[in-house]
Amino acid sequence: MEYMLKADDLVGVSFWIISVAMVASTAFFFLEGNSVAKHWQTSVRVAGLVTLIAAVHYYYMRAVWIQTGENPNVYRYIDWLLTVPLQMVEFYLILAAVGAATAGMFWRLLIGTLVMLIAGFLGENGSINATVGFIVGMAGWIYILYEVFAGEAAQANASSNSKAQQSAYNAMKWIVSIGWSIYPIGYFLGYLAGGTDENALNAIYNLADIINKIAFGLVIWAAAKSESAKA
Ligand SMILES: *C/C=C(C)/C=C/C=C(C)/C=C/C1=C(C)CCCC1(C)C
């Protein structure tokens, strides 16, 4: 059976492990969504939706990688186009849980996301120059970072009086900055560091997804749990 996972295909193994980890995380977040305080339930369940959408895409990406040896970047970007906006919804929700969210914050985060991902996709599939895609994508990301670190969302967070909400927000802020920085590194090594390296690209994107989807959800879950225990 030539379509089986081979022991020396480390990127294929990482696709496999992450597929299963996403399924397990989904079960965890959905079940835990029932045991936190009411105003945190949606946030924890949305974390489960993010890992559920990723799980479906990882099964397809894994199949493309193992059976064709090709870079599954169409599935990858469809996944990101669905899950990254949902994570921006999470920022909105954890601020809304303490009554500090505005619609403007959400729209700005969404616009930054779309600019970042559309530029990245066009750069990866060769529709535009890879360097141009990278630069425009970086600009979208920097716009998101501005909103989260210094914009209206940051101010709303600073004026909140919920410790659990602030700790979740701060942890999410570091995920969006440090955790997300792994993606442009993957793009850079995959396309800009001389030739195209699909092994490096996928290994790095896979690692980044574990941190930015599963750990991101766990941070929200931990805040929800700590505040629910007190109530
Ligand atoms: C669950 C998936 C997530 C959190 C994906 C995040 C993706 C990025 C932060 C991608 C960023 C990129 C740039 C900042 C530059 C251009 C290339 C990208 C799209 C890889």
Side-chain angles (χ1 to χ4, degrees):
M1 294 255 286
E2 50 178 324
Y3 291 151
M4 298 301 275
L5 179 59
K6 299 194 180 58
D8 63 353
D9 178 3
L10 291 181
V11 179
V13 171
S14 75
F15 271 114
W16 196 286
I17 292 171
I18 297 169
S19 310
V20 181
M22 292 291 178
V23 172
S25 307
T26 304
F28 179 79
F29 292 133
F30 283 171
L31 290 170
E32 286 293 309
N34 298 322
S35 68
V36 297
K38 264 230 141 24
H39 63 289
W40 280 102
Q41 289 185 341
T42 311
S43 305
V44 174
R45 288 174 183 149
V46 170
L49 287 180
V50 167
T51 53
L52 174 63
I53 294 169
V56 173
H57 288 87
Y58 262 91
Y59 275 80
Y60 280 96
M61 288 197 279
R62 184 180 89 187
V64 170
W65 181 265
I66 292 171
Q67 296 178 8
T68 69
E70 278 169 25
N71 172 21
N73 75 336
V74 177
Y75 291 111
R76 171 101 58 198
Y77 272 87
I78 295 173
D79 173 326
W80 289 357
L81 265 177
L82 297 170
T83 52
V84 183
L86 269 180
Q87 295 188 304
M88 298 297 106
V89 170
E90 286 285 34
F91 269 108
Y92 178 84
L93 284 175
I94 66 156
L95 292 172
V98 295
T102 68
M105 288 171 197
F106 172 72
W107 287 112
R108 284 191 297 276
L109 292 173
L110 186 67
I111 289 167
T113 299
L114 292 176
V115 169
M116 177 179 87
L117 294 181
I118 292 170
F121 181 68
L122 296 177
E124 287 203 35
N125 76 9
S127 305
I128 60 173
N129 176 280
T131 306
V132 173
F134 185 77
I135 292 168
V136 176
M138 290 296 281
W141 179 40
I142 289 167
Y143 185 66
I144 294 171
L145 291 177
Y146 175 79
E147 176 66 24
V148 166
F149 277 84
E152 203 191 348
Q155 288 154 22
N157 177 57
S159 62
S160 145
N161 51 20
S162 159
K163 277 257 163 329
Q165 177 270 324
Q166 283 186 332
S167 73
Y169 186 94
N170 288 331
M172 285 162 66
K173 210 165 77 174
W174 293 114
I175 287 181
V176 168
S177 51
I178 310 296
W180 280 20
S181 70
I182 303 169
Y183 296 100
I185 293 172
Y187 185 106
F188 184 84
L189 295 178
Y191 298 101
L192 303 178
T196 304
D197 185 346
E198 291 181 345
N199 272 300
L201 182 77
N202 283 285
I204 294 172
Y205 282 173
N206 287 359
L207 168 73
D209 276 352
I210 299 190
I211 295 169
N212 296 300
K213 292 189 164 65
I214 298 178
F216 185 88
L218 286 174
V219 162
I220 294 162
W221 167 80
K225 245 351 210 200
S226 78
E227 216 179 48
S228 307
K230 274 184 267 148

